[in-house]
Amino acid sequence: MAQFPNLWRFMRSRSGRGFLLHLSLCAALSVTVAYGFYYFSLNWFQEHKSREKIIALQLVDSFVTNYSAVRSQFGKDAPVPATFRAHAIEAFNKQNGDNSDFRLASVGRPGREILTAPTDARMAATIEAFAATENPKPVSELLDVNGERIFRTVYPTLAREQSCVSCHNALQPLQAQWHLNDVMGAFVIDVPISPFLHTVFWQSAGIGIGLFLALALAGLTISLMHFRQLEALDASAAKLGRTQNFLDSIIENMPVSVAVKDARDRCYVLINRTAEAIFGIARGELIGRSADDPSNKDTASDLFPLATEALRTQELQTIAEHPVNTPHNGTRILTSRNLSIPDETGEPRYLLSLAEDITERKQAEARIQHLAHYDALTDLPNRVAFVEYLARTIDAAKLSKESFAVLSIDLDGFKEVNDVFGHAVGDDVLRRMSEQLRAFAPDAYLARLGGDEFTLITPNGDHPELAEILARRLHAAVAIDLEREGQHLRVGISVGIAIFPADGNDATTLLNNADAALYRSKAAGRGKTRFFEIEMDNRLRERRAISHELSSAIARNELCLHYQPLAKIDGEVIGFEALLRWQHPQRGMVSPATFIPVAEESGLIMQIGEWALREACREAASWSHPLQIAVNLSPIQFRHGDLAGLVHSLLLETGLSPTRLELEITEGVLVEDFDRGLSILRRLKALGVRIAMDDFGTGYSSLSYMQSFPFDKIKIDKSFISNVKSSPQSAAIVRAVIGLAHGLNLPVLAEGVETGPQLEFLATESCDEVQGYLLGRPQPIAEYTKLIGRDGAARKLLSA
C-alpha cells in the first residue's frame, strides 16, 4: 500500500503519461504484427500445401498413365487404370479414416460418376469449370464445408487413355459418353485447416502479447529511468530552492550590512535588512538602480566605501572604524570590508560590501576603559591611573631635577556620616568633596584611591612652600556641612604631605610616607596638615609589632574564618565566602584591613593563606548541601611557592570536589607579573576549580585580562552597588559591567547589597548573584547550620 502514492506520482508525471502513450502504440504495433503473422501463415499454408498436394496428385496421375501403358504386361485380369485409381483411393480413405490430416477423393463429373459424385455444389462447379477450360489448372481454396473449415485442392482428371474412355462408357451405357481427353472428374484433397488455424491464432496471439510485453517492459524501464531522473532533478531543484531560501534568510538576517552591486553597470543587486537599518535607506528604491546616479551618490559612498580601489586590486579590502553620517541615527562607527567577485574570465563581476556597526561596542569599550582608570563614584582617576601618573611624574622630575609634593587627603568624620546619614549621603559627600578639591586645585593631579582617601600630586615647583600654601587653601575652602533631624556634622579634610625627592625617590616610598604624614595628621585632630618627618616611623614600628604577633597567631589558634552567604538574585544560597578574622588576646578582633597588608608585606600571607584555604575546604567538605566555598587569594601567593600544587593537595587532603571551590583574585595578580599570573590561573582552572575576579572596577580592571583568561565570575565592588539608587553614573556603570559580563557569558555577583532597593535594581538589571548584609553578615559557620544542611532546612534567605 505504501507504493501507491509513488505509483500515483509516476502516472501523473510526464514519464507516466508518456508510458501510457507508449502502451497504446505498443498495443497497435503488437496487433498489427500478430495479424500480419496470422495472415502470412495462412498465405504460406495456402501456397505450400496447395503446391504440395498438386505435386502429389500429379505423381498419382503420372503413375496411372504409366500403369495404363504397361497394363497389358500384367495379363487380362489386370485392373482398368481408372478403376484401379478409384478403388485405390477408396481403400486409402477407408484405411486412414476421417481423422487423417487430409482426405483424398476421386470425383466424377456430375452425371458421369463411376463411384463418387461431387460432395458439394462448389466441387461440382469447379469440375465443370475444368470442362469448360481448354487447359484446366488445379484449384486450391478455403471453404466452409458442413461447418468445417477446409483447405481444398482440386486437380482435373483427363481421359488420356482410350481404354479408360471405353471402360467408363461401358460401365455407364445410359449416361453421356466420354471421349478421349475429356474431363472425367478430378482428384480432390480436403485438408481440415481448423487445427492449423487454431495453432496459428495462438501463435499470433503469443507473438503479439510477447511483443507487447517486451515493448511495454522496455518502455516502462525507460519511463522509470526518466521518472527517476525527473524526480532527481525536481529534488535537486527543491534542494536548490531550499538552499536559496536558506541563504536568503541568512543574508537577510545577518547582523552586518550586506550590499552587492554589479561591477559592470554599477546597479544595486542586493541590500539586506541590516543595511536598511544602519544607513536609513529603502532598498526597494535602490535595487536595480545605478550607483552612479547623482541622487544616490552619498548612499553609494556609504554602502561601498573605496569601491573603485576594491575593483582595481580585486583583493579583500578592510576599512576599519570609519564614521558614517546617517539621516536617522546620527554618526555611526562602521568597519567595512569590500570584496570583488570575478566571473569565469577573471574579470570583476560583482562587488560585495560587508559593514558592521560597532558604535555601541566602541562606546562600551570607552566606558569600560574609562571605568578601568577612573573612579565610578567621583569620576576621578583611580589607583591604577594614579600610579601610572606618579611614575611618569617621578621620571620627569628626575630629568628636570625639580621637586613636587604628594598630598594624601582623608575626610574627617566620614565614618560618622555613613553611620548617621547612611551610605547614600556618604556617597554624595564624596562626590561633592571631589568637586571642591578639583575646583580649588585645578592644576594638580587629583585621584581617589578608595573609600574617603584622595591623593593629589602638585605641579613641579618650590616645595614644600607651595604644598603648604595649597594645603591651607584646601582647608579653608573645602568643607561640607550636613544637618538632619537635629544631627549636624561638618566634613573637612586632613592632609599628609611627602616631598619628592626629600621624602622618597620612588612611588612606593612617597605614598607610604604621605600616608604616614596623614596618619599623624589624623592623630593630631581634624583639619590638620602634616609633612612627613622621620619620627613618623613609629607607625612603621607598630606595623612591625603587628607582623611579629601575627607570625605566631596560627600556632596560638587566634585566626578563624567567618562565612558570608552568596546567593542567587532570588535569595537561594549557593555558597559562602570564607573571610579571615584575627582574635587577638589584647587587641581584640583585629580588622583584616589592618593585618592583611602587614601579612602581605612580611610574607606571612603565604602561611596564613594556606591555613585559610585548608580550613575552608575542610569545613565545606563536611556540609550536607554541596554549596560552593569562595576563598580570597593574595597576589603574594602567586609570586611565591606552587599555588596550583598547594590547591591540588588540599583538595585531595580534604576530599572537597574541585567544582565547589571558587578562588577570588584581584586584578593585581595579573598586573604585577602577567605571564606568571596567567600561567598559574590556567593551572588552577585545569584542576576544575572556579576563578572569580573580585572588586571589579576598583583597581586595574583591564579588558585585556578578560580576554586573556576565561574567568568564571565577575564580582562588582560594593562601592558601586551602594550608589546605584542615588547615582545615575553608578547605575550606568553597574549596567555596563553586567552587560559586559553577560556578553562574555559570565555570571555577575554584586557585593555590598544592604537594602531592598539595591536588590530590586540588580534584579531588574539581570544580575545573577548577590552578597551583603541584606542576606547575611560574616559570622562563624555555626550561625548558618540551617543553610549548610545540618538540620535539613531549606537554603533560601529571601522570598521572591
Side-chain angles (χ1 to χ4, degrees):
M1 295 297 292
Q3 299 301 318
F4 282 119
N6 294 336
L7 176 62
W8 178 247
R9 287 203 309 272
F10 171 71
M11 296 308 297
R12 292 186 61 186
S13 67
R14 287 181 292 170
S15 301
R17 295 194 295 271
F19 177 66
L20 292 178
L21 178 61
H22 174 75
L23 286 181
S24 62
L25 295 176
C26 289
L29 179 61
S30 300
V31 170
T32 301
V33 171
Y35 179 78
F37 178 79
Y38 183 86
Y39 182 76
F40 170 80
S41 298
L42 189 60
N43 286 341
W44 178 87
F45 182 87
Q46 292 179 3
E47 180 179 351
H48 289 79
K49 287 294 183 180
S50 175
R51 185 176 298 113
E52 177 184 312
K53 305 308 177 186
I54 290 171
I55 292 173
L57 293 176
Q58 287 175 342
L59 291 176
V60 172
D61 197 29
S62 175
F63 169 77
V64 173
T65 301
N66 292 334
Y67 171 77
S68 178
V70 298
R71 174 175 174 273
S72 59
Q73 300 178 10
F74 295 105
K76 62 179 183 178
D77 294 329
V80 177
T83 306
F84 170 80
R85 179 170 55 191
H87 285 290
I89 291 172
E90 183 179 3
F92 172 81
N93 287 334
K94 287 181 180 180
Q95 180 180 355
N96 290 279
D98 294 335
N99 296 325
S100 59
D101 290 339
F102 65 93
R103 299 162 192 163
L104 182 64
S106 177
V107 182
R109 289 178 62 191
R112 298 186 178 185
E113 299 91 343
I114 300 296
L115 290 175
T116 306
T119 59
D120 52 61
R122 181 64 183 169
M123 185 185 298
T126 302
I127 295 173
E128 286 302 314
F130 288 158
T133 304
E134 292 185 6
N135 189 18
K137 302 293 182 181
V139 175
S140 295
E141 58 184 338
L142 290 173
L143 300 172
D144 286 325
V145 177
N146 298 325
E148 184 179 9
R149 193 76 168 160
I150 297 297
F151 179 69
R152 173 176 291 172
T153 300
V154 183
Y155 181 81
T157 303
L158 304 178
R160 297 186 183 279
E161 297 293 336
Q162 185 60 49
S163 60
C164 291
V165 173
S166 299
C167 179
H168 281 79
N169 287 335
L171 291 173
Q172 300 178 115
L174 299 179
Q175 300 291 334
Q177 297 296 297
W178 292 2
H179 301 88
L180 192 64
N181 291 326
D182 277 353
V183 176
M184 298 168 57
F187 288 120
V188 179
I189 297 179
D190 285 343
V191 179
I193 200 172
S194 294
F196 173 77
L197 291 178
H198 186 267
T199 300
V200 171
F201 172 78
W202 285 112
Q203 288 178 343
S204 300
I207 290 174
I209 293 174
L211 179 62
F212 175 79
L213 292 177
L215 293 176
L217 181 60
L220 179 61
T221 302
I222 295 173
S223 297
L224 287 176
M225 292 175 61
H226 184 252
F227 176 68
R228 290 193 182 98
Q229 291 177 346
L230 289 179
E231 280 204 324
L233 290 175
D234 291 341
S236 297
K239 183 177 180 181
L240 184 62
R242 289 193 300 270
T243 302
Q244 182 66 43
N245 292 335
F246 171 75
L247 292 177
D248 290 344
S249 178
I250 292 296
I251 292 174
E252 181 69 9
N253 293 282
M254 285 180 66
V256 297
S257 165
V258 180
V260 179
K261 72 176 180 179
D262 196 307
R264 298 172 182 172
D265 57 15
R266 302 295 195 273
C267 287
Y268 295 106
V269 177
L270 182 148
I271 298 174
N272 73 343
R273 182 187 305 164
T274 305
E276 284 187 310
I278 291 177
F279 296 101
I281 57 177
R283 53 183 162 178
E285 299 176 359
L286 293 178
I287 292 178
R289 296 180 60 184
S290 175
D292 295 335
D293 190 332
S295 62
N296 297 328
K297 184 177 180 180
D298 293 338
T299 301
S301 63
D302 290 342
L303 283 173
F304 300 94
L306 303 181
T308 304
E309 181 70 13
L311 291 174
R312 184 183 64 81
T313 61
Q314 298 189 32
E315 296 178 353
L316 179 63
Q317 184 183 56
T318 300
I319 304 97
E321 299 184 10
H322 61 99
V324 172
N325 293 320
T326 62
H328 66 302
N329 205 15
T331 300
R332 311 298 293 175
I333 305 299
L334 305 182
T335 294
S336 299
R337 291 175 177 84
N338 293 333
L339 179 63
S340 174
I341 302 175
D343 58 15
E344 60 277 2
T345 65
E347 293 298 320
R349 182 67 182 90
Y350 297 104
L351 180 62
L352 168 66
S353 178
L354 304 175
E356 181 182 5
D357 188 348
I358 60 172
T359 307
E360 283 75 15
R361 189 179 75 192
K362 295 298 293 183
Q363 292 172 348
E365 289 177 355
R367 287 195 299 268
I368 298 299
Q369 186 67 20
H370 184 80
L371 177 64
H373 289 83
Y374 286 84
D375 175 57
L377 180 64
T378 62
D379 202 34
L380 291 175
N382 60 10
R383 182 179 295 274
V384 64
F386 174 79
V387 170
E388 293 174 356
Y389 183 83
L390 179 58
R392 293 195 302 270
T393 304
I394 290 174
D395 292 339
K398 287 180 178 180
L399 290 175
S400 62
K401 297 182 178 180
E402 294 183 341
S403 65
F404 63 88
V406 175
L407 278 66
S408 183
I409 303 171
D410 192 78
L411 304 190
D412 295 331
F414 184 70
K415 183 179 183 303
E416 289 81 357
V417 172
N418 284 330
D419 293 342
V420 174
F421 298 101
H423 290 284
V425 175
D427 291 341
D428 184 60
V429 167
L430 290 174
R431 282 191 295 270
R432 291 166 60 185
M433 188 63 70
S434 66
E435 292 172 358
Q436 291 180 359
L437 290 172
R438 191 156 32 193
F440 287 96
D443 298 330
Y445 185 86
L446 179 65
R448 181 193 177 203
L449 301 189
D452 60 344
E453 182 182 357
F454 296 86
T455 304
L456 185 147
I457 300 176
T458 64
N460 293 344
D462 185 13
H463 294 285
E465 289 78 6
L466 290 179
E468 186 175 9
I469 294 172
L470 177 60
R472 283 201 301 268
R473 289 179 58 195
L474 292 177
H475 279 299
V478 176
I480 297 175
D481 290 320
L482 298 174
E483 187 171 354
R484 177 183 294 181
E485 298 179 357
Q487 296 285 342
H488 178 271
L489 288 176
R490 179 177 178 83
V491 180
I493 60 174
S494 293
V495 181
I497 304 174
I499 307 298
F500 174 87
D503 298 331
N505 60 0
D506 61 81
T508 301
T509 303
L510 274 176
L511 283 176
N512 288 340
N513 290 341
D515 285 342
L518 176 62
Y519 179 79
R520 184 184 173 194
S521 174
K522 298 285 286 186
R526 297 173 180 263
K528 298 296 189 291
T529 299
R530 292 292 183 267
F531 285 86
F532 174 76
E533 298 174 0
I534 300 299
E535 292 77 12
M536 293 179 181
D537 64 352
N538 291 332
R539 182 181 178 186
L540 298 178
R541 285 197 297 268
E542 175 69 12
R543 292 173 67 89
R544 283 194 294 269
I546 292 177
S547 175
H548 175 72
E549 295 169 357
L550 187 60
S551 62
S552 58
I554 297 178
R556 296 196 303 265
N557 293 322
E558 295 176 2
L559 296 179
C560 63
L561 293 179
H562 285 191
Y563 297 84
Q564 186 172 30
L566 309 176
K568 292 183 179 179
I569 194 68
D570 61 358
E572 180 186 355
V573 175
I574 59 174
F576 289 87
E577 180 178 358
L579 300 171
L580 190 61
R581 295 292 184 265
W582 182 14
Q583 183 65 49
H584 193 278
Q586 288 81 36
R587 301 175 186 271
M589 187 67 73
V590 182
S591 169
T594 299
F595 70 85
I596 291 296
V598 174
E600 290 182 331
E601 290 177 5
S602 62
L604 290 173
I605 194 65
M606 299 296 296
Q607 181 182 2
I608 295 174
E610 180 179 346
W611 177 88
L613 186 59
R614 176 182 286 106
E615 181 66 16
C617 292
R618 183 197 61 76
E619 175 60 36
S622 68
W623 298 343
S624 300
H625 293 157
L627 302 176
Q628 291 198 345
I629 183 70
V631 181
N632 289 280
L633 296 180
S634 168
I636 308 300
Q637 293 175 274
F638 283 75
R639 275 190 244 147
H640 307 287
D642 183 9
L643 179 60
L646 172 64
V647 172
H648 188 202
S649 65
L650 292 180
L651 290 173
L652 294 176
E653 175 186 331
T654 60
L656 181 68
S657 172
T659 57
R660 294 179 58 197
L661 178 60
E662 182 173 277
L663 301 177
E664 297 185 3
I665 69 165
T666 61
E667 298 94 329
V669 169
L670 297 173
V671 169
E672 295 177 358
D673 190 342
F674 179 85
D675 293 335
R676 176 180 173 83
L678 186 61
S679 175
I680 295 175
L681 286 177
R682 287 173 176 168
R683 290 177 58 197
L684 291 171
K685 185 84 169 178
L687 295 177
V689 303
R690 296 165 55 83
I691 307 296
M693 178 176 282
D694 196 12
D695 299 335
F696 185 80
T698 61
Y700 301 94
S701 302
S702 174
L703 292 179
S704 63
Y705 303 150
M706 309 300 295
Q707 183 179 9
S708 301
F709 182 77
F711 288 93
D712 298 295
K713 183 186 294 184
I714 290 178
K715 300 186 70 173
I716 304 177
D717 188 70
K718 61 183 180 181
S719 61
F720 302 121
I721 304 304
S722 61
N723 299 304
V724 292
K725 299 304 292 182
S726 61
S727 170
Q729 292 86 351
S730 294
I733 289 170
V734 171
R735 289 192 192 98
V737 173
I738 293 175
L740 170 66
H742 287 174
L744 297 174
N745 294 322
L746 295 179
V748 181
L749 183 144
E751 298 179 307
V753 178
E754 299 181 357
T755 66
Q758 291 172 356
L759 181 65
E760 181 180 357
F761 171 85
L762 293 170
T764 303
E765 297 302 325
S766 301
C767 184
D768 304 284
E769 302 169 10
V770 290
Q771 174 184 2
Y773 287 179
L774 182 64
L775 290 90
R777 294 175 177 270
Q779 298 185 81
I781 196 62
E783 301 296 325
Y784 295 111
T785 54
K786 294 182 179 180
L787 295 178
I788 61 177
R790 287 179 178 165
D791 65 350
R795 305 202 314 261
K796 196 159 184 178
L797 288 173
L798 301 174
S799 60

Coordinates of all heavy atoms in Angstrom, one line a residue, residues 279 300-311 313 315-324 332-340 351-358 361-362:
F279 N 21.9 52.3 7.5 CA 22.1 53.5 6.7 C 20.8 54.3 6.5 O 20.8 55.4 5.9 CB 22.6 53.1 5.3 CG 24.0 52.5 5.3 CD1 24.2 51.1 5.3 CD2 25.1 53.2 5.5 CE1 25.4 50.5 5.3 CE2 26.4 52.7 5.5 CZ 26.5 51.3 5.5
A300 N 25.8 55.5 -2.2 CA 26.8 54.6 -2.8 C 28.1 54.7 -2.1 O 28.8 53.7 -1.8 CB 27.0 55.0 -4.3
S301 N 28.6 55.9 -1.7 CA 29.8 56.0 -1.0 C 29.7 55.4 0.4 O 30.7 54.9 1.0 CB 30.2 57.5 -0.9 OG 29.3 58.2 -0.1
D302 N 28.5 55.4 1.0 CA 28.4 54.8 2.4 C 28.4 53.3 2.3 O 29.0 52.6 3.0 CB 27.1 55.3 3.0 CG 27.2 56.8 3.4 OD1 28.3 57.3 3.5 OD2 26.1 57.4 3.7
L303 N 27.6 52.8 1.3 CA 27.5 51.3 1.1 C 28.8 50.7 0.6 O 29.1 49.6 1.0 CB 26.3 51.0 0.2 CG 24.9 51.1 0.8 CD1 23.9 50.9 -0.3 CD2 24.7 50.1 1.9
F304 N 29.4 51.4 -0.3 CA 30.6 50.8 -0.9 C 31.8 51.8 -0.8 O 32.2 52.5 -1.8 CB 30.4 50.5 -2.4 CG 29.3 49.5 -2.6 CD1 28.0 49.9 -2.9 CD2 29.6 48.2 -2.6 CE1 27.0 49.0 -3.1 CE2 28.6 47.2 -2.8 CZ 27.3 47.7 -3.0
P305 N 32.4 52.0 0.4 CA 33.5 52.9 0.5 C 34.7 52.4 -0.2 O 35.0 51.2 -0.2 CB 33.7 52.9 2.1 CG 33.2 51.6 2.6 CD 32.0 51.3 1.7
L306 N 35.4 53.3 -0.9 CA 36.6 52.9 -1.7 C 36.3 51.8 -2.7 O 37.1 50.9 -2.9 CB 37.7 52.5 -0.8 CG 38.2 53.6 0.3 CD1 39.3 53.1 1.1 CD2 38.5 54.9 -0.4
A307 N 35.1 51.9 -3.3 CA 34.7 50.8 -4.2 C 35.7 50.7 -5.4 O 36.0 49.6 -5.9 CB 33.3 51.0 -4.7
T308 N 36.1 51.8 -6.0 CA 37.0 51.8 -7.1 C 38.3 51.1 -6.8 O 38.8 50.3 -7.6 CB 37.3 53.2 -7.6 OG1 36.0 53.9 -7.9 CG2 38.1 53.2 -8.9
E309 N 38.8 51.3 -5.6 CA 40.1 50.7 -5.2 C 39.9 49.2 -5.1 O 40.7 48.4 -5.5 CB 40.5 51.3 -3.9 CG 41.8 50.7 -3.4 CD 43.1 51.1 -4.2 OE1 42.9 52.0 -5.0 OE2 44.1 50.5 -4.1
A310 N 38.7 48.7 -4.5 CA 38.5 47.3 -4.4 C 38.4 46.6 -5.7 O 38.8 45.5 -5.9 CB 37.2 47.1 -3.6
L311 N 37.7 47.3 -6.7 CA 37.6 46.7 -8.0 C 38.9 46.7 -8.8 O 39.2 45.7 -9.5 CB 36.6 47.5 -8.9 CG 35.1 47.3 -8.4 CD1 34.2 48.3 -9.2 CD2 34.6 45.9 -8.6
T313 N 42.1 46.5 -7.3 CA 43.0 45.5 -6.7 C 42.5 44.1 -6.7 O 43.2 43.1 -6.7 CB 43.4 45.9 -5.3 OG1 42.2 45.9 -4.5 CG2 44.0 47.3 -5.3
E315 N 41.2 42.5 -4.4 CA 41.6 41.9 -3.1 C 40.6 42.3 -2.0 O 40.0 43.3 -2.2 CB 43.0 42.2 -2.8 CG 44.1 41.7 -3.7 CD 45.5 42.1 -3.3 OE1 45.6 42.9 -2.4 OE2 46.4 41.7 -4.0
L316 N 40.6 41.5 -0.9 CA 39.8 41.9 0.2 C 40.3 43.2 0.8 O 41.5 43.4 1.1 CB 39.8 40.8 1.3 CG 39.0 41.1 2.5 CD1 37.5 41.2 2.2 CD2 39.3 40.0 3.6
Q317 N 39.4 44.2 0.9 CA 39.7 45.5 1.4 C 39.0 45.8 2.7 O 37.8 45.6 2.7 CB 39.4 46.5 0.3 CG 39.8 47.9 0.6 CD 39.3 48.9 -0.5 OE1 38.1 48.9 -0.8 NE2 40.2 49.6 -1.1
T318 N 39.7 46.1 3.7 CA 39.1 46.4 5.0 C 39.3 47.9 5.3 O 40.4 48.4 5.3 CB 39.8 45.6 6.1 OG1 39.7 44.2 5.8 CG2 39.2 45.8 7.5
I319 N 38.2 48.5 5.7 CA 38.2 49.9 6.1 C 37.7 49.9 7.6 O 36.6 49.7 7.9 CB 37.2 50.8 5.2 CG1 37.6 50.7 3.8 CG2 37.3 52.2 5.7 CD1 36.8 49.7 3.0
A320 N 38.7 50.1 8.5 CA 38.4 49.9 9.9 C 37.9 51.2 10.5 O 38.5 52.3 10.3 CB 39.7 49.4 10.6
E321 N 36.9 51.1 11.3 CA 36.4 52.1 12.2 C 36.3 53.5 11.5 O 36.9 54.5 11.9 CB 37.3 52.2 13.4 CG 37.3 51.0 14.2 CD 38.1 51.1 15.5 OE1 38.5 52.2 15.9 OE2 38.4 50.1 16.2
H322 N 35.5 53.6 10.5 CA 35.3 54.8 9.8 C 33.9 55.3 10.1 O 32.9 54.6 10.2 CB 35.5 54.7 8.3 CG 34.5 53.7 7.6 ND1 33.3 54.1 7.0 CD2 34.5 52.3 7.6 CE1 32.7 53.0 6.5 NE2 33.4 52.0 6.9
P323 N 33.7 56.7 10.2 CA 32.4 57.2 10.6 C 31.5 57.4 9.4 O 32.0 57.7 8.3 CB 32.8 58.6 11.2 CG 34.1 59.0 10.5 CD 34.8 57.7 10.2
V324 N 30.2 57.2 9.6 CA 29.2 57.4 8.5 C 28.1 58.2 9.2 O 27.5 57.8 10.2 CB 28.7 56.0 8.0 CG1 27.5 56.3 7.1 CG2 29.8 55.3 7.3
R332 N 27.6 57.0 12.9 CA 27.8 55.7 13.3 C 29.2 55.3 13.0 O 29.8 55.8 12.0 CB 26.9 54.7 12.7 CG 25.4 55.0 12.7 CD 24.9 55.1 14.1 NE 24.9 53.8 14.8 CZ 24.6 53.6 16.1 NH1 24.2 54.7 16.8 NH2 24.5 52.4 16.6
I333 N 29.8 54.4 13.8 CA 31.2 53.9 13.5 C 31.1 52.5 12.9 O 30.5 51.6 13.5 CB 32.0 53.9 14.8 CG1 32.0 55.2 15.5 CG2 33.5 53.4 14.5 CD1 32.6 56.3 14.7
L334 N 31.6 52.4 11.7 CA 31.5 51.1 10.9 C 32.9 50.6 10.7 O 33.9 51.3 10.5 CB 30.8 51.3 9.6 CG 29.4 52.0 9.7 CD1 28.8 52.0 8.3 CD2 28.4 51.2 10.6
T335 N 32.9 49.3 10.5 CA 34.1 48.5 10.0 C 33.6 47.8 8.7 O 32.7 47.0 8.8 CB 34.6 47.5 11.0 OG1 35.2 48.2 12.1 CG2 35.7 46.7 10.3
S336 N 34.1 48.2 7.6 CA 33.6 47.7 6.3 C 34.7 46.8 5.6 O 35.9 47.0 5.8 CB 33.3 48.9 5.3 OG 32.2 49.7 5.9
R337 N 34.2 45.9 4.8 CA 35.1 45.0 4.0 C 34.5 44.9 2.6 O 33.3 44.6 2.4 CB 35.2 43.6 4.6 CG 35.9 43.6 5.9 CD 35.9 42.2 6.6 NE 36.7 42.1 7.8 CZ 36.3 42.5 9.0 NH1 35.0 43.0 9.1 NH2 37.0 42.4 10.0
N338 N 35.3 45.2 1.6 CA 34.9 45.1 0.2 C 35.6 44.0 -0.4 O 36.8 43.7 -0.2 CB 35.2 46.4 -0.5 CG 34.4 47.6 0.0 OD1 33.3 47.4 0.5 ND2 34.9 48.8 -0.2
L339 N 34.9 43.2 -1.3 CA 35.5 42.1 -2.0 C 34.9 42.1 -3.4 O 33.7 42.1 -3.6 CB 35.2 40.8 -1.3 CG 35.7 39.5 -2.0 CD1 37.3 39.6 -2.0 CD2 35.2 38.3 -1.2
S340 N 35.9 42.0 -4.4 CA 35.5 41.9 -5.8 C 35.3 40.5 -6.1 O 36.2 39.6 -5.8 CB 36.6 42.5 -6.7 OG 36.3 42.3 -8.0
L351 N 30.6 43.4 -6.8 CA 31.3 44.0 -5.7 C 30.5 43.8 -4.4 O 29.4 44.3 -4.3 CB 31.6 45.5 -5.9 CG 32.4 46.2 -4.7 CD1 33.7 45.5 -4.6 CD2 32.5 47.7 -5.0
L352 N 31.0 43.0 -3.5 CA 30.4 42.7 -2.2 C 30.9 43.6 -1.1 O 32.2 43.8 -1.0 CB 30.6 41.3 -1.8 CG 30.2 40.8 -0.4 CD1 28.7 41.0 -0.2 CD2 30.7 39.4 -0.1
S353 N 30.0 44.2 -0.3 CA 30.5 45.1 0.8 C 29.8 44.6 2.0 O 28.5 44.5 2.1 CB 30.1 46.5 0.5 OG 30.5 47.3 1.6
L354 N 30.6 44.3 3.1 CA 30.0 44.0 4.4 C 30.4 45.1 5.4 O 31.6 45.5 5.4 CB 30.6 42.6 4.9 CG 30.4 41.4 4.0 CD1 31.1 40.2 4.5 CD2 28.9 41.1 3.8
A355 N 29.4 45.5 6.1 CA 29.7 46.6 7.0 C 29.1 46.3 8.4 O 27.9 45.9 8.5 CB 29.1 47.9 6.6
E356 N 29.9 46.4 9.4 CA 29.4 46.1 10.8 C 29.4 47.4 11.6 O 30.4 48.2 11.6 CB 30.4 45.1 11.5 CG 30.0 44.7 12.9 CD 30.9 43.8 13.6 OE1 32.0 43.5 12.9 OE2 30.7 43.4 14.7
D357 N 28.3 47.6 12.2 CA 28.1 48.8 13.1 C 28.7 48.5 14.5 O 28.1 47.7 15.2 CB 26.6 49.2 13.2 CG 26.4 50.5 13.9 OD1 27.4 51.0 14.5 OD2 25.3 51.0 13.9
I358 N 29.8 49.2 14.8 CA 30.5 48.9 16.0 C 30.4 50.1 17.0 O 31.1 50.2 17.9 CB 32.0 48.6 15.8 CG1 32.7 49.7 15.1 CG2 32.1 47.3 15.0 CD1 34.2 49.5 15.0
R361 N 29.6 49.0 20.5 CA 30.8 48.3 21.1 C 31.9 49.3 21.4 O 32.5 49.2 22.5 CB 31.3 47.3 20.1 CG 32.4 46.4 20.7 CD 32.8 45.4 19.7 NE 33.7 46.0 18.7 CZ 34.0 45.4 17.6 NH1 33.6 44.2 17.3 NH2 34.8 46.0 16.7
K362 N 32.1 50.3 20.6 CA 33.2 51.3 20.8 C 32.8 52.1 22.1 O 33.6 52.5 22.9 CB 33.4 52.2 19.6 CG 33.9 51.4 18.4 CD 35.3 50.9 18.7 CE 36.3 51.9 18.8 NZ 37.7 51.3 19.0

